[in-house]
Amino acid sequence: MGGPKAAHSAEELVAANDRDRPDGMVAAHGEFEHGVTEYAAPVRDGGGRIRASVALLGRQPDLMPRAETIRAGLAAAAAALEELVGVSS
């Protein structure tokens, strides 16, 4: 179902993916819950497959003014976690 700006068709989902792909992470403003923003970056294995993600969500007025800092932090966190993906214990 999703929030007020969620994709409600395959076409809308494709459009959202196409919108976010160049940035390498998802920026969802009101897509999951009214007034909530979420940023998420993929954590990939050595073959480029997504194995996990790292995300931050919160109130739109708190996060959107800090979007670039948040994106940089999530990208760094995802990169650090990628070093651990595929390492067996």
Side-chain angles (χ1 to χ4, degrees):
M1 196 177 250
K5 295 185 180 178
H8 295 287
S9 69
E11 293 80 16
E12 289 176 348
L13 182 59
V14 168
N17 287 338
D18 289 345
R19 176 198 69 211
D20 291 334
R21 187 174 291 109
D23 290 334
M25 75 177 54
V26 171
H29 309 293
E31 292 180 31
F32 300 107
E33 182 71 36
H34 181 72
V36 173
T37 285
E38 179 177 5
Y39 297 95
V43 177
R44 298 178 186 273
D45 65 15
R49 294 176 299 262
I50 297 172
R51 297 298 185 175
S53 66
V54 60
L56 176 72
L57 64 101
R59 294 176 349 114
Q60 285 180 355
D62 296 338
L63 298 186
M64 289 181 69
R66 298 168 179 83
E68 292 309 311
T69 301
I70 291 167
R71 288 173 183 273
L74 287 176
L81 290 170
E82 284 174 352
E83 295 180 17
L84 302 174
V85 173
V87 175
S88 60
S89 48

